[in-house]
Amino acid sequence: RWEADAWLLDARLIADDGEIGDMFGVSVDIKGDRIIVGSWFDNDAGSNSGSAYIFDRTEGTGWEQAAKIVMPDAQAEDVFGRTVALGDEFCAIGAPLDDDQGQSSGSVVVFDRDSTGGWSFVAKLAHPGGGGGDQLGLSLTIDGDRILAGAPWSNDGRGEVHLWERFAAWT
């Protein structure tokens, strides 16, 4: 936090179940009083399947872990959490080595914050016509109700960027 004329350490965030080699912090994003942190080598669903953590600022106690998110169809080596992005009451998490459209085709997984304060899976975004090696989700950002994700090895290695916009659902 900024105090007087200097930056001071406000918090040190640590995963409740973190293990050596999880790579917690490989990606981060902040929006208001919420932080998302990627942990792409977490092993909950197999070696390097990955996860992401949500931290919320709480009155009086600073920051606390509010959720751990794992990809619903997680597999070993998906590296879910390699990229993360926060929107208003939703988040997007990249899994650039997900194999749904071929080895390392990649995907972006979207979760909404539900009425109980939890995080619910709402969509898995894939490269239309994508294929092995595209690595969709290797870069990721959110602006309003838009998700922008890079697929750097798509288009014969020339790369592509994909934009999804939420209307009633992610399209």
Side-chain angles (χ1 to χ4, degrees), residues 73-94:
D73 62 346
Q75 305 260 336
E77 307 305 327
D78 283 342
V79 298
F80 176 77
R82 173 61 182 87
T83 53
V84 295
L86 278 173
D88 290 328
E89 303 302 314
F90 75 97
C91 67
I93 303 168

Side-chain angles (χ1 to χ4, degrees), residues 133-166:
D134 289 346
Q135 294 191 21
L136 175 69
L138 193 57
S139 59
L140 183 62
T141 192
I142 291 175
D143 180 44
D145 278 341
R146 295 178 294 191
I147 296 173
L148 195 61
W153 295 105
S154 186
N155 192 20
D156 297 321
R158 292 185 297 267
E160 295 178 353
V161 175
H162 297 267
L163 172 67
W164 289 270
E165 194 156 358
R166 183 191 329 225

Side-chain angles (χ1 to χ4, degrees), residues 1-112:
R1 70 182 179 278
W2 181 255
E3 194 169 294
D5 61 349
W7 283 102
L8 301 176
L9 179 65
D10 188 50
R12 183 173 170 227
L13 306 179
I14 300 172
D16 288 347
D17 65 347
E19 295 181 8
I20 294 171
D22 281 352
M23 295 292 289
F24 176 84
V26 68
S27 56
V28 297
D29 195 17
I30 187 170
K31 186 161 183 73
D33 288 337
R34 180 163 294 131
I35 294 173
I36 187 169
V37 180
S39 184
W40 68 330
F41 286 170
D42 188 16
N43 299 320
D44 284 5
S47 175
N48 302 332
S49 53
S51 63
Y53 295 81
I54 304 283
F55 292 84
D56 288 330
R57 183 186 292 273
T58 58
E59 250 184 79
T61 60
W63 295 88
E64 70 178 34
Q65 184 176 315
K68 178 178 182 178
I69 300 174
V70 177
M71 189 164 70
D73 62 346
Q75 305 260 336
E77 307 305 327
D78 283 342
V79 298
F80 176 77
R82 173 61 182 87
T83 53
V84 295
L86 278 173
D88 290 328
E89 303 302 314
F90 75 97
C91 67
I93 303 168
L97 301 186
D98 185 20
D99 297 329
D100 286 2
Q101 295 179 297
Q103 186 175 0
S104 301
S105 54
S107 64
V108 175
V109 187
V110 183
F111 296 82
D112 278 344

